[in-house]
Amino acid sequence: MDVAVVGGGLIGATAALAASRLGFEVAVIDRAAPALAPGRFGMDIRNVAVSPASRAVLETAGVWQALEATAYRRMQVWEERGTAMMTFDAAEVQRAELGWILENGPAVAALWQCLQEAPRAAVRLGALEALETGPDAVTLTVAAPPVADSGSAGSASGLAPAGAAADARREGPLRLRARLVIAADGARSRVRELLGVAVSRSALRDVALATLVRTERGHDGVAYQRFLRDGPLALLPSARPDISSVVWSQAPAVAARRAELDDAAFCAEIGRACEQCLGPVLEADRRLSFPLQQALVARFDPHPRVLLIGDAARVLHPLAGLGANVGFEDVRELLAVLGSVGPGADPGSAGLWRGFARRRRARARFMQDLMAGLRRAYALDNPLLQFIRNTGVDLLNRTAPIKRQIIVEAMGLGPLAGQRAGR
């Protein structure tokens, strides 16, 4: 086998599909097939923002048309202690949209359906138990998959590729040899653990509270972000015009209190926090919360035949919704290297991935510093600094050339992201 991708989420499945389209034989290893978990509104609470640059990667993988994406065309940013508002509009850079929102669960399920149709891709279910590196290949030991009940995604529900359904009946561990291993198995990466890769972490003393809300007015394809004293609040548009996705960073004690509020009180609190930008909040889905941190591995290539990408390599603050997009950047650069090698050649040959690893780690450090800097800037309580910040925001909002470049960079199409705006 040419490539083994550990982790079949958005980033891993996209990397596997794109590599298979380049002519490489690929296996995707994951504990279980994806399962849908819709909430009160029949939608996934977990959502990701996808930039135009990330869409291009998904198109390269041949999967964009299989995804149900909701476009957003404008974003409004303001703060609790200020008067200035920043507005980013796709029309300012002659585009119809700034990006798209994907429901995480349905998107991953769609990617797994695409894996079923990929002639050079296979799915192997089960937990990764061991990983042995060698000069010519990496050997992976995959445990027998968990027993799937009749209602699970690994059964006849149709979410998993046919090969995965057959693999679910496998008994005993499986040993695979791959010339290149791509670890896309998330922030608690098993590959990273098995290789003993050092990780620097910075706890952010916040948690993120996520839910969906139904509002009186429709979102009209507009995203909102308000910087509050205890953390930023984002409302992102969904496929339904009256439903928005909420990600709210806050102190753990505050999140615990809000988790205990009844629905009416919770809706009222969100409405006050966003200044009822979409009118009163009428209804909320169940609330999820998770601790926030930033993390960065010492090396993206801990072995010449092993690469770390996505959250297995770095974790970003969700402040600007860039986590998935930086992961798709990993895939884009990975494909550029694989494309230069071509099928039939050794994708793990000595020295091949050094430049990739160096560039991606430098990009990760830049994004982490940027997120930390923004969070600190909006947390400053000094009245003079607040005045300077608001004056700067107002000036920036009225300076068209600078604002256009910010929009292009946020789309992943600028020089900082390694692309040209005209591409």
Side-chain angles (χ1 to χ4, degrees):
M1 180 200 317
D2 295 317
V3 180
V5 179
V6 182
L10 278 177
I11 305 304
T14 301
L17 285 162
S20 72
R21 284 169 65 90
L22 288 176
F24 294 92
E25 297 292 331
V26 182
V28 176
I29 299 167
D30 208 319
R31 288 177 175 271
L36 299 182
R40 180 179 301 175
F41 304 121
M43 304 167 66
D44 196 333
I45 291 176
R46 300 165 302 159
N47 290 271
V48 296
V50 174
S51 70
S54 295
R55 171 177 170 162
V57 174
L58 289 161
E59 288 175 335
T60 299
V63 299
W64 178 254
Q65 295 303 321
L67 303 176
E68 296 182 5
T70 301
Y72 64 99
R73 58 185 177 81
R74 193 166 71 244
M75 185 169 189
Q76 295 183 0
V77 182
W78 75 111
E79 65 168 300
E80 181 178 8
R81 293 163 293 184
T83 57
M85 175 179 288
M86 181 82 75
T87 301
F88 301 103
D89 198 308
E92 295 181 72
V93 289
Q94 292 75 54
R95 294 187 65 101
E97 60 282 304
L98 291 175
W100 296 264
I101 305 297
L102 293 175
E103 293 180 60
N104 187 78
V108 174
L111 291 176
W112 277 54
Q113 287 297 322
C114 291
L115 284 169
Q116 179 176 3
E117 302 166 7
R120 299 180 192 84
V123 174
R124 296 291 178 256
L125 298 180
L128 180 64
E129 287 188 332
L131 184 150
E132 302 168 25
T133 58
D136 301 316
V138 178
T139 301
L140 305 101
T141 302
V142 182
V147 177
D149 59 42
S150 59
S152 74
S155 65
S157 64
L159 285 183
D167 196 58
R169 296 189 290 271
R170 189 184 79 244
E171 295 183 3
L174 174 71
R175 286 172 65 84
L176 301 171
R177 278 174 55 86
R179 294 194 290 178
L180 177 68
V181 171
I182 299 171
D185 51 345
R188 298 179 179 179
S189 170
R190 176 63 170 157
V191 173
R192 197 180 63 210
E193 177 187 357
L194 289 171
L195 290 177
V197 181
V199 184
S200 60
R201 304 179 189 273
S202 56
L204 300 175
R205 300 191 303 277
D206 285 342
V207 300
L209 188 153
T211 189
L212 299 171
V213 296
R214 183 169 66 87
T215 55
E216 184 179 74
R217 295 199 305 271
H219 53 67
D220 196 28
V222 179
Y224 299 88
Q225 185 163 51
R226 190 179 187 214
F227 285 88
L228 303 161
R229 283 181 169 84
D230 62 348
L233 165 66
L235 278 74
L236 306 175
S238 79
R240 277 183 52 176
D242 60 338
I243 302 294
S244 293
S245 173
V246 172
V247 181
W248 192 352
S249 300
Q250 52 204 264
V254 178
R257 178 185 65 79
R258 286 174 176 150
E260 296 301 320
L261 294 175
D262 61 38
D263 283 359
F266 181 69
C267 289
E269 195 145 331
I270 289 184
R272 287 191 296 270
C274 70
E275 296 189 311
Q276 295 194 344
C277 58
L278 293 173
V281 176
L282 305 177
E283 192 177 0
D285 208 323
R286 71 182 188 275
R287 295 153 233 174
L288 307 178
S289 63
F290 48 93
L292 294 179
Q293 65 170 355
Q294 295 205 130
L296 180 61
V297 295
R299 293 183 63 95
F300 277 56
D301 59 339
H303 183 273
R305 295 187 178 276
V306 180
L307 300 177
L308 303 174
I309 67 172
D311 283 355
R314 107 284 282 141
V315 178
L316 298 175
H317 191 292
L319 175 61
L322 293 175
N325 289 305
V326 176
F328 284 123
E329 284 182 18
D330 292 342
V331 177
R332 184 185 70 212
E333 289 214 24
L334 184 149
L335 295 177
V337 177
L338 286 178
S340 69
V341 172
D346 184 356
S349 56
L352 182 63
W353 297 102
R354 288 175 187 164
F356 167 90
R358 184 175 60 253
R359 291 189 301 272
R360 298 315 300 156
R361 192 173 190 281
R363 171 72 166 158
R365 289 193 65 177
F366 169 78
M367 296 306 298
Q368 286 192 340
D369 290 345
L370 177 62
M371 294 302 100
L374 282 172
R375 182 69 179 90
R376 284 194 300 269
Y378 276 97
L380 295 172
D381 240 345
N382 184 290
L384 176 60
L385 293 176
Q386 290 175 35
F387 171 76
I388 294 172
R389 184 172 63 234
N390 274 273
T391 302
V393 167
D394 184 55
L395 178 62
L396 186 59
N397 195 50
R398 291 186 282 111
T399 308
I402 298 177
K403 193 163 73 159
R404 280 196 296 269
Q405 192 57 42
I406 292 174
I407 294 172
V408 168
E409 290 294 345
M411 288 179 164
L413 301 175
L416 292 178
Q419 297 211 76
R420 296 186 302 276
R423 184 178 294 180

